[in-house]
Amino acid sequence: MALAPLGAQTRPYKDYLTPALHRRFTKASRYTLLLCYLIACWMGEYDSLIWLLSPIGPTGIRTLLLFIPALTIYVLRVAQWHVGPRQTQTRAETFNKYFLRKSTFLTLVFYTFSAWLYNEVYVWSRAGWSRLGYTEYGRAQERLKLNERPLYLRYLFLLLALAQTVVHLSEDYDKIAIPTMSPKTLRQDSSAPALLRSPNPRRVLVKKLTKMVVLAGITACSVTLAGTVIYFAGLRQLMWDYHYSFSRYFISLAKTSRPTGLAPFLPLVASFVTEGTLLVLLWEFVNEAFNLYIAQEPLKNDQPITNDSTDPNGTLLNGLKSKKEAVKAIAFWELALITDAFPDRRATIYREVERKKAPTFQQVTDLCLAEIKLLIDRVNLGLNPAYNPPSAAGKQEPAAPVNLVPQIAQPLNNDKAITVVPPKTNSRWELIENATADMAKLHSAPGNAQQAYGREALNKSMQKAQQGAHHAESALSLYYNKLVASPLGAPFRYSLTRTASLVVLGAPYSRISLICNAVTAITNLAVYSIREDTLGRFNEGVPAIIRVFTAAINKIDEYMENVEIHWSDYDTAKLPEAQRRKIPEVERVRTCLKDGLELVLGSFNEYLLGMGMSRVEVLEAKKAVVRAPEMVENGAGAGQ
């Protein structure tokens, strides 16, 4: 690949990422439209099979109308998707943090609109014998009567939307799992890069279809049972009154009326269970298709998406510096793919040395190391909450200056007595303390014979008050501990898995893909620089890479050894002692760092001392590579 011409305009990374996402959305929509067509055929009348299956006619119209509820969920996912799972210490904290957010309300609104429109399409598709019209004809001498059956059906569909919203938010459907790449170990052939592709989304959708149908059926049946109980337990009359009062403005109805009835009831329930299952299946299919297609590699025609840019590496750097974490995560993924499986493009990173701010390889190295240094800062904060992270310049952040209030009055006269207003009390025990102090002042005049007795009584009252406060606090703590220990207290329990993941992987969403892909990219650049860096400048940053990798591994090990297991973490307490501090996500990051350090040490082992590293630093780095203990012995001998 030729170098980018000097002075070429660097286009933003989103100019290439957005079209790639649009292409994936189009592919996902095709299969969704096919599912809508099958549902539309199911809703139709079976008088003529040819007319039923023809996309021209009522079936085609229903298909397009049913695609709107699916498209609504697609729009919701596009607006709210994020990379990585949510990170909180407890489930209760997750609820408090996300329940009152704008996105929660929007999720409910979008699902409600989707369910309402689906229901209207179904009602429109039913014939007169299904008795789902807005009104019913009574006797010849009676006025039109409101039909309760469609009201009940709409109520169940809206309740289904509420249930799906709860599932969507609790399971965090908005997360996208970006794959994490790992450096090849020394036991693998690093000279033969192979592009590992994600599984085919179409095959995965077909494979998961049965599971989605079962989940949809369970959800629809549960909503039917719970909704029917709530409806007849007291909500029926309230809904009917509002429905009747509203309808009287448009239809000539009697002044008062009672619900007309749901008979035949079982066919109506069966219709909802069937159509509710299909609607939940459509929702699950949309969410799964979106997840699979968005998580595809950032490639176009089996090449990195930035290859179409006049300045590919400049565009990629814009993505690596993006303020949007989702865009940044995909850019790091593309960088890891480039350094692993595209040697021509990787070679351009070494050769572009005349870029404005710094050579391309230097900017890439700094951005990757910054992600690992951020991990080190988080772990330092986990070890010591008073830790002050260094600034970008490498210095400790100074304390914020105190802004003094300018003098607005004359200075105090020391010759006059100063009366100080007592501070405002904040609690009941402070009121008791102040009251007893006033009593002491009142009865403590000089020469009072009963002064000693008064003070003794006041001291006893103060001791009793303090004991009462301690008893109240201990009783409250006891009740709280009992609540946490009960099954109802599960949302309030702390977990070592949550705490360690929060510290090591970051918040509010896990940065594991960013960390591992950054480690993989910088490791590949270091290893391949021996053969491909014709200018020989990348090796200047190898000591810094080794130091940062070593510090990150040591900090993670130190934190996992010293982190306390909360008394409410019963799940961790049930595990064997050797398995309690093995957190899968943390272990993955730790392994990724060790694999990268092992590769870099193995490639530059004989040159490290001449590159400015001391023997102590080299030995410390090799000790961090637990997987290859023989390297420590060889390194120690070479250092001497």
Side-chain angles (χ1 to χ4, degrees):
M1 175 177 290
L3 294 177
L6 294 178
Q9 183 179 3
T10 303
R11 297 181 60 182
Y13 188 76
K14 65 179 182 179
D15 288 357
Y16 300 92
L17 176 62
T18 303
L21 298 180
H22 285 171
R23 289 191 296 270
R24 300 174 194 175
F25 173 77
T26 302
K27 293 180 181 179
S29 299
R30 295 174 186 172
Y31 300 111
T32 306
L33 192 62
L34 176 60
L35 179 60
C36 293
Y37 170 74
L38 297 177
I39 297 175
C41 292
W42 170 264
M43 288 184 180
E45 298 294 333
Y46 294 87
D47 299 336
S48 174
L49 185 60
I50 297 178
W51 186 247
L52 175 67
L53 299 179
S54 175
I56 302 175
T59 300
I61 297 175
R62 276 196 301 270
T63 302
L64 296 178
L65 291 176
L66 289 174
F67 185 69
I68 297 177
L71 187 62
T72 301
I73 306 304
Y74 273 124
V75 173
L76 175 68
R77 293 300 309 278
V78 170
Q80 298 187 169
W81 71 282
H82 59 82
V83 175
R86 297 176 303 213
Q87 298 276 76
T88 53
Q89 285 189 298
T90 62
R91 298 176 184 175
E93 182 183 347
T94 303
F95 180 82
N96 294 334
K97 187 175 181 179
Y98 293 96
F99 178 69
L100 296 179
R101 298 180 66 179
K102 179 182 177 181
S103 58
T104 302
F105 176 74
L106 288 178
T107 303
L108 177 60
V109 170
F110 275 69
Y111 273 109
T112 300
F113 174 77
S114 179
W116 170 81
L117 185 56
Y118 183 95
N119 173 75
E120 297 305 317
V121 174
Y122 173 70
V123 172
W124 166 72
S125 303
R126 296 295 87 197
W129 55 264
S130 61
R131 296 180 58 191
L132 292 178
Y134 196 79
T135 59
E136 284 186 314
Y137 289 101
R139 298 177 183 177
Q141 69 276 11
E142 294 179 344
R143 295 183 178 181
L144 287 176
K145 296 190 300 181
L146 280 181
N147 190 3
E148 187 185 4
R149 292 168 61 83
L151 175 65
Y152 172 75
L153 196 63
R154 290 184 177 92
Y155 155 75
L156 288 181
F157 270 103
L158 295 180
L159 196 64
L160 185 65
L162 177 61
Q164 184 67 19
T165 301
V166 173
V167 174
H168 183 107
L169 296 173
S170 61
E171 298 297 328
D172 193 15
Y173 276 18
D174 292 325
K175 71 174 179 292
I176 298 294
I178 296 295
T180 57
M181 298 182 61
S182 298
K184 297 182 178 69
T185 62
L186 292 176
R187 297 168 182 82
Q188 294 174 324
D189 184 11
S190 59
S191 62
L195 179 59
L196 299 177
R197 301 300 301 269
S198 299
N200 189 303
R202 179 177 58 82
R203 296 179 181 176
V204 177
L205 286 173
V206 173
K207 187 177 180 180
K208 291 186 176 182
L209 194 59
T210 303
K211 181 180 178 181
M212 288 188 283
V213 171
V214 173
L215 177 61
I218 294 175
T219 304
C221 292
S222 302
V223 170
T224 303
L225 180 61
T228 302
V229 172
I230 297 173
Y231 185 77
F232 287 102
L235 198 59
R236 182 186 187 188
Q237 189 62 46
L238 179 64
M239 290 180 58
W240 177 261
D241 290 341
Y242 279 103
H243 179 56
Y244 195 83
S245 300
F246 175 78
S247 300
R248 283 187 59 199
Y249 290 102
F250 307 98
I251 305 174
S252 178
L253 300 171
K255 293 183 178 180
T256 58
S257 174
R258 291 185 177 181
T260 55
L262 300 174
F265 183 69
L266 291 181
L268 182 62
V269 172
S271 297
F272 172 75
V273 170
T274 303
E275 298 303 323
T277 300
L278 292 176
L279 177 57
V280 177
L281 173 62
L282 182 61
W283 286 337
E284 292 291 331
F285 187 89
V286 167
N287 283 303
E288 190 65 33
F290 187 87
N291 292 341
L292 290 172
Y293 277 98
I294 294 299
Q296 292 294 295
E297 296 88 350
L299 303 175
K300 179 183 178 182
N301 299 327
D302 292 334
Q303 293 295 322
I305 59 176
T306 53
N307 273 16
D308 293 338
S309 173
T310 55
D311 182 10
N313 292 331
T315 299
L316 180 59
L317 286 173
N318 285 338
L320 298 176
K321 299 174 183 178
S322 176
K323 296 182 179 180
K324 295 183 178 180
E325 293 299 323
V327 176
K328 191 175 184 179
I330 295 179
F332 269 98
W333 186 16
E334 182 183 356
L335 175 65
L337 288 171
I338 290 171
T339 59
D340 186 73
F342 298 94
D344 294 339
R345 177 69 184 277
R346 181 179 61 232
T348 64
I349 298 178
Y350 302 115
R351 297 200 301 265
E352 291 181 356
V353 296
E354 296 183 359
R355 198 170 289 278
K356 270 189 178 181
K357 295 183 179 179
T360 301
F361 70 85
Q362 184 63 53
Q363 294 191 49
V364 169
T365 302
D366 292 343
L367 291 170
C368 292
L369 290 181
E371 195 62 39
I372 305 173
K373 291 177 182 177
L374 185 61
L375 181 152
I376 297 174
D377 288 340
R378 289 195 301 266
V379 177
N380 281 327
L381 283 172
L383 291 169
N384 180 19
Y387 171 75
N388 190 15
S391 62
K395 299 179 180 179
Q396 293 292 102
E397 291 287 351
V402 179
N403 296 325
L404 299 177
V405 179
Q407 180 176 337
I408 59 175
Q410 296 295 328
L412 296 175
N413 190 348
N414 296 330
D415 297 336
K416 297 182 180 179
I418 301 175
T419 304
V420 180
V421 179
K424 185 179 179 180
T425 56
N426 297 321
S427 65
R428 182 175 59 180
W429 303 115
E430 290 179 357
L431 291 172
I432 296 175
E433 183 178 358
N434 292 337
T436 53
D438 293 338
M439 292 173 60
K441 293 177 181 179
L442 181 63
H443 296 282
S444 299
N448 193 341
Q450 298 181 353
Q451 182 178 10
Y453 297 101
R455 289 183 177 177
E456 183 179 357
L458 291 174
N459 290 333
K460 289 182 179 180
S461 65
M462 284 295 300
Q463 292 176 1
K464 290 182 179 179
Q466 292 175 356
Q467 291 176 0
H470 290 309
H471 285 313
E473 292 177 358
S474 61
L476 181 61
S477 177
L478 179 62
Y479 289 134
Y480 175 77
N481 293 344
K482 288 183 178 180
L483 173 64
V484 173
S486 67
L488 296 178
F492 303 96
R493 296 174 187 170
Y494 287 85
S495 169
L496 179 62
T497 301
R498 284 175 169 266
T499 303
S501 298
L502 181 67
V503 172
V504 177
L505 306 181
Y509 306 113
S510 173
R511 304 174 67 90
I512 185 171
S513 65
L514 278 165
I515 298 170
C516 289
N517 290 334
V519 171
T520 301
I522 197 172
T523 300
N524 291 336
L525 288 174
V527 172
Y528 288 113
S529 67
I530 296 179
R531 297 196 307 265
E532 300 178 1
D533 184 14
T534 57
L535 300 178
R537 295 187 56 183
F538 186 88
N539 62 80
E540 298 174 1
V542 170
I545 296 174
I546 295 176
R547 293 187 185 103
V548 173
F549 278 27
T550 305
I553 295 171
N554 291 338
K555 282 297 178 182
I556 292 176
D557 292 342
E558 181 184 358
Y559 176 76
M560 295 307 299
E561 290 175 2
N562 294 281
V563 63
E564 295 182 359
I565 300 177
H566 198 265
W567 65 266
S568 63
D569 191 0
Y570 300 113
D571 295 334
T572 302
K574 294 177 183 178
L575 297 175
E577 185 68 27
Q579 299 295 327
R580 291 181 180 179
R581 299 179 183 272
K582 300 292 184 181
I583 311 302
E585 293 79 7
V586 176
E587 288 297 314
R588 191 184 309 172
V589 173
R590 187 167 171 265
T591 302
C592 187
L593 285 165
K594 288 190 175 183
D595 289 345
L597 183 58
E598 180 182 2
L599 276 170
V600 176
L601 288 176
S603 300
F604 292 89
N605 184 36
E606 53 187 312
Y607 312 112
L608 295 178
L609 295 180
M611 297 170 68
M613 295 191 68
S614 65
R615 292 185 177 88
V616 175
E617 289 178 326
V618 175
L619 186 61
E620 185 70 20
K622 292 179 178 180
K623 285 182 178 179
V625 185
V626 181
R627 188 179 293 112
E630 68 276 5
M631 295 183 62
V632 177
E633 300 176 358
N634 297 336
Q640 297 174 357

